[in-house]
Amino acid sequence: MTSILLTQNSTFIIGPVAKLLGFLMNGIFEVLYKIGIPNVGIAIILFTIIIYLLMMPLTIKQQKFSRLSAKMNPELQAIQKKYANKKDNESMMRMNQETKAVYEKYGTSPTGSCLQLLITLPIMYGLYRVIYNIPAYVTKIKAVYEGLVVKLMASDGGTAYIQEIGADKGFAKSDYTLSNTFIDVLYKFNDSDWNALADKFPSLANDITSTIDQLGQYNNFLGISILNSPSHIISQAIKTGSYALVLGAIAIPVLAAVTQLINIKLMPQPQMEGQENNPMMSSMKMMNYTMPIMSAVFCYTLPVGVGLYWIAGPVVRSVIQVITNKHIEKIDFDEEIKKNIEKAGKKKKKQSFAEKAMAEAAKMNTKSVESSGLSQKEKEEQLRKANEYYKKASANPDSIAAKANMVRKFDEKNKK
């Protein structure tokens, strides 16, 4: 069956992350299958909970950085005001040094939150890719399609029909190869698409019905198929006059917006000087209200399965945020700052000692060469070789470790 392997995301970084998360998703579904509840909706919720719990240490670290940032912002703003009208190089260097000293004092760096983002963003994108294309990562879901796909591939006009439907669903023309697109396209089918496929290929009606029934066992969540979007469910209800599923369909985007809003309210908001007139703060406030609306719009048009993730995510994040807030409140940040000041002092002391030792070593080495009676060319060559000798053992010659190593090697060389 290698000819109908599904398309997994292959984007740089996101692809490998999605593949790793796919193993987790597949494992969760296998466990649910063995205990008799093989439901993709439940798997998505459990998958989301596990991922956010694993990222909880990053969340706590990010919150600590935010609290420290709030405490040091007045000092940073004072430095900025101090050098506001000074653009010469000397003033800029002083400003950078004073700014660096503040960050060292609080035990942070200007890029303190970047590491969390560099880790979190690929996980979030990878998680979405797994949920958006479940059969590519969950073997039992993929297996449901395989029998039908083999017969559809062998049917006259089967490939052309899948290409046509796929184009309507946004698949690029270059994606159409027999090896990876049939299940990709079929996974995006709603009830109307399946009916149209049965009408187009009546000889495959039994296979199509069997596939739909099996998918229904896996994809039915509280009476709603997670493959259909709320917009499709509502439009079908209007056409058929059956409104049994409308309430559930409306609940998905509404819950997505409400849970997103609750999560935003629980998150600590950054405090900045002159918030009322600060354009950045105004933009953040606007974003806080537009995000829930965007969540509702997306979840109305995307499959219910994606909506479940969109609801489960903020719920889990809200619970984690409450726990994090309680943990952060117990931290004595004044004590943390005191410890950071001590660490910064020790670091400066070590750095100063290493630099002084290196300067002495360089001075002694220069005197040795100068008093050797060699020609100018020979002196320059000897100095070059000595410099290479001291630096070759370190990948980063500017680091403190490298400077200390240079002093050690100088001592070793002069003992010979």
Side-chain angles (χ1 to χ4, degrees):
M1 301 305 293
T2 55
S3 61
I4 52 173
L5 287 175
L6 225 59
T7 305
Q8 293 189 356
N9 189 275
S10 58
T11 309
F12 177 66
I13 297 178
I14 305 300
V17 171
K19 191 169 185 177
L20 184 62
L21 295 176
F23 284 127
L24 175 60
M25 184 66 174
N26 188 55
I28 292 170
F29 191 83
E30 289 288 343
V31 171
L32 291 174
Y33 185 86
K34 286 180 180 178
I35 63 176
I37 46 173
N39 188 281
V40 177
I42 296 174
I44 289 172
I45 293 171
L46 292 175
F47 178 64
T48 307
I49 291 171
I50 291 171
I51 292 300
Y52 279 107
L53 285 176
L54 290 174
M55 293 199 304
M56 191 171 175
L58 286 175
T59 303
I60 293 173
K61 194 169 183 179
Q62 177 67 36
Q63 297 301 322
K64 284 180 71 176
F65 176 79
S66 297
R67 289 290 183 95
L68 287 171
S69 294
K71 284 183 173 290
M72 70 182 178
N73 271 340
E75 294 183 40
L76 293 175
Q77 288 168 4
I79 293 170
Q80 289 170 359
K81 284 182 180 179
K82 180 180 175 182
Y83 294 98
N85 300 316
K86 299 176 182 178
K87 302 299 180 184
D88 58 285
N89 288 338
E90 188 177 345
S91 296
M92 295 301 289
M93 286 178 68
R94 281 185 197 156
M95 186 179 78
N96 289 337
Q97 287 172 355
E98 290 179 27
T99 301
K100 185 181 177 183
V102 172
Y103 277 106
E104 285 179 354
K105 171 183 171 182
Y106 287 91
T108 63
S109 69
T111 58
S113 62
C114 292
L115 178 61
Q116 286 85 349
L117 286 174
L118 288 173
I119 296 172
T120 303
L121 287 178
I123 292 174
M124 291 297 97
Y125 282 119
L127 189 148
Y128 174 76
R129 291 310 311 172
V130 171
I131 291 171
Y132 193 71
N133 199 8
I134 294 285
Y137 302 93
V138 180
T139 53
K140 277 189 167 51
I141 302 297
K142 183 185 76 171
V144 175
Y145 293 92
E146 289 181 336
L148 175 61
V149 167
V150 170
K151 293 181 179 180
L152 191 58
M153 289 169 66
S155 299
D156 186 30
T159 300
Y161 184 78
I162 289 296
Q163 288 179 347
E164 182 183 344
I165 297 297
D168 292 338
K169 294 186 177 297
F171 283 81
K173 192 172 182 180
S174 58
D175 289 338
Y176 289 109
T177 62
L178 295 180
S179 63
N180 64 9
T181 56
F182 271 73
I183 301 178
D184 286 334
V185 175
L186 289 176
Y187 183 63
K188 302 299 183 289
F189 270 28
N190 55 42
D191 295 338
S192 301
D193 295 324
W194 284 114
N195 292 333
L197 183 67
D199 292 339
K200 181 71 175 179
F201 301 95
S203 62
L204 300 178
N206 291 335
D207 297 284
I208 293 170
T209 301
S210 175
T211 301
I212 293 171
D213 290 343
Q214 204 170 351
L215 288 173
Q217 295 175 16
Y218 293 158
N219 295 318
N220 187 293
F221 186 79
L222 300 178
I224 300 175
S225 172
I226 65 168
L227 300 179
N228 292 327
S229 66
S231 61
H232 173 77
I233 294 169
I234 293 171
S235 65
Q236 287 297 108
I238 294 171
K239 287 180 184 177
T240 60
S242 176
Y243 297 95
L245 301 178
V246 169
L247 186 60
I250 293 173
I252 296 295
V254 171
L255 285 173
V258 171
T259 53
Q260 184 82 40
L261 186 61
I262 292 171
N263 184 233
I264 289 170
K265 292 293 183 183
L266 285 171
M267 290 180 67
Q269 301 300 315
Q271 301 295 316
M272 296 182 71
E273 189 178 332
Q275 291 190 69
E276 298 79 7
N277 302 317
N278 192 305
M280 184 180 293
M281 291 303 298
S282 300
S283 299
M284 287 181 68
K285 283 183 179 179
M286 182 65 70
M287 185 64 71
N288 287 344
Y289 290 105
T290 53
M291 278 301 293
I293 296 171
M294 289 171 63
S295 296
V297 172
F298 290 148
C299 290
Y300 182 73
T301 57
L302 292 171
V304 169
V306 178
L308 286 176
Y309 157 65
W310 221 297
I311 294 167
V315 170
V316 178
R317 288 200 304 271
S318 296
V319 173
I320 290 174
Q321 191 62 59
V322 171
I323 297 170
T324 302
N325 289 345
K326 288 183 178 180
H327 173 75
I328 294 293
E329 284 170 6
K330 293 177 182 178
I331 297 175
D332 186 345
F333 280 93
D334 291 332
E335 188 63 29
E336 287 274 318
I337 293 167
K338 187 178 177 182
K339 289 178 182 177
N340 290 334
I341 292 171
E342 290 176 3
K343 285 180 184 177
K346 289 178 181 178
K347 185 179 177 182
K348 276 187 177 180
K349 201 171 181 181
K350 286 181 182 178
Q351 189 172 5
S352 176
F353 173 77
E355 288 176 351
K356 187 176 179 181
M358 189 186 71
E360 287 295 324
K363 187 177 178 182
M364 289 173 66
N365 190 63
T366 304
K367 283 182 178 178
S368 176
V369 173
E370 290 293 334
S371 61
S372 62
L374 300 173
S375 67
Q376 184 62 31
K377 188 175 180 181
E378 288 172 329
K379 289 177 183 178
E380 290 174 359
E381 179 63 19
Q382 192 164 339
L383 282 171
R384 184 186 65 78
K385 288 180 179 179
N387 192 48
E388 287 179 359
Y389 175 78
Y390 295 136
K391 290 187 176 182
K392 69 178 181 179
S394 174
N396 182 8
D398 294 324
S399 67
I400 294 174
K403 293 168 183 175
N405 191 44
M406 287 172 66
V407 175
R408 179 182 62 79
K409 293 181 77 65
F410 172 80
D411 292 338
E412 287 177 357
K413 188 176 181 184
N414 282 277
K415 285 176 183 178
K416 293 178 182 179

